Amino acid sequence: METLSENRCFGGTQGVYRHAATSTACDMTFGLFLPEEAREGPVPILWYLSGLTCTHENAMTKAGAQQWAAEQGIALCFPDTSPRGEDVADDKAFDLGKGAGFYVNATQDPWAPHFRMWDYVADELPALLTSEFAIDPDRQSITGHSMGGHGALTLAMSLPGRYRSVSAFSPICNPTGGDWGRAQFTAYLGDDETAWRAHDASVLMAEKGFDGPVLTDTGTADNFLDLLRPETLAEAAAKRRQPITFRMQPGYDHSYFFVSSFMEEHVAFHAEALYA
């Protein structure tokens, strides 16, 4: 693992690191904020999964999360959204290929050799962090924005016992039923739509739910609202009688101005579960 940068930040350290990942068969870069408490021993961690076109850097610099994580004594990890490198397949569309991994393990060519973001986020990166940094593997929570909100919700509901809480900003809630999902799942996972269901938050909510607190925020002025389909998640949670805090925030859009406006509340929401 290579240290690219480390900066003092709210009493802790904001680092950027690169390592050779076996799951994605390429070098991967991630950001990690460690609060001051990490000097004394392992701290809980909140994973932040970013959205389409993003790298590890977007949320790290725009979400304003470090201040609130420092107050709560929580580490923050900002993984990349896809594999990178000259030999990694790509597409001219912004919502397929590099920057658009959708947190799945691709089974179709040309994506299958590298696009294994599920394995990377669920297994390889957590193992690296707990071995190299003062991270408590028994106290994890997860959040994300847009495509990353989709990833956070699907990982949380598919890995029972892993995360104590899950939240999402503007999540893609029903990719099997919308344009942000069907084309990408066909490319990554093939034509068999039964394979897509494991990566649809609304389907998973109906079938599995989540054994813990759930929070979602979406702006009523989000210009991608028809692609996000938040109503499908609300309906699935209601039918399952799943406890969930589902909020539509008046006038907010899809940007990081929206994310940063509610980041304090999301970090506090996770801190309550992580320190329970």
Side-chain angles (χ1 to χ4, degrees):
M1 187 180 67
E2 178 186 2
T3 300
L4 300 181
S5 64
E6 288 184 334
N7 297 94
R8 188 81 165 144
C9 181
F10 292 104
T13 302
Q14 176 62 64
V16 177
Y17 309 92
R18 181 166 57 211
H19 69 113
T22 57
S23 53
T24 59
C26 65
D27 286 349
M28 297 293 290
T29 302
F30 64 92
L32 179 66
F33 170 75
L34 290 172
E36 189 172 13
E37 289 84 347
R39 297 178 183 178
E40 305 299 325
V43 295
I45 185 168
L46 174 60
W47 296 87
Y48 184 101
L49 306 186
S50 290
L52 289 167
T53 74
C54 292
T55 68
H56 70 280
E57 189 175 19
N58 294 72
M60 188 181 78
T61 59
K62 295 179 180 179
Q66 293 90 339
Q67 176 182 356
W68 314 120
E71 288 189 5
Q72 302 286 356
I74 294 172
L76 295 168
C77 185
F78 306 97
D80 202 345
T81 55
S82 74
R84 308 278 176 178
E86 292 183 3
D87 61 339
V88 174
D90 200 7
D91 191 271
K92 291 184 292 184
F94 77 95
D95 53 3
L96 185 67
K98 293 178 185 178
F102 268 82
Y103 304 100
V104 303
N105 286 340
T107 59
Q108 307 298 303
D109 290 332
W111 314 105
H114 298 285
F115 281 74
R116 303 190 63 82
M117 288 303 295
W118 181 280
D119 284 351
Y120 179 69
V121 172
D123 298 319
E124 184 169 4
L125 189 53
L128 176 67
L129 263 58
T130 55
S131 67
E132 298 291 334
F133 301 96
I135 301 297
D136 183 353
D138 295 323
R139 291 186 291 166
Q140 301 186 58
S141 290
I142 191 166
T143 188
H145 173 232
S146 194
M147 179 185 71
H150 138 79
L153 290 167
T154 56
L155 281 158
M157 287 187 278
S158 300
L159 300 173
R162 171 71 66 86
Y163 307 104
R164 295 195 180 186
S165 52
V166 59
S167 74
F169 301 88
S170 315
I172 301 173
C173 295
N174 182 217
T176 65
D179 289 340
W180 264 359
R182 294 190 62 83
Q184 294 79 8
F185 285 1
T186 300
Y188 293 143
L189 303 175
D191 294 328
D192 182 3
E193 296 189 18
T194 60
W196 304 356
R197 295 175 63 84
H199 299 285
D200 187 302
S202 295
V203 170
L204 290 172
M205 179 61 75
E207 295 180 350
K208 297 183 178 183
F210 180 69
D211 187 19
V214 182
L215 167 65
T216 68
D217 275 312
T218 304
T220 61
D222 194 308
N223 46 321
F224 302 113
L225 206 53
D226 290 341
L227 298 170
L228 302 176
R229 297 172 58 82
E231 68 280 359
T232 62
L233 183 68
E235 291 166 2
K239 288 180 180 178
R240 188 178 180 81
R241 297 174 182 171
Q242 162 83 45
I244 182 174
T245 302
F246 177 90
R247 306 191 300 194
M248 298 296 298
Q249 299 291 359
Y252 284 90
D253 58 21
H254 199 74
S255 70
Y256 267 95
F257 296 111
F258 159 64
V259 173
S260 60
S261 296
F262 298 98
M263 181 57 71
E264 180 183 9
E265 294 179 36
H266 280 244
V267 172
F269 164 81
H270 291 294
E272 185 175 355
L274 289 167
Y275 282 105

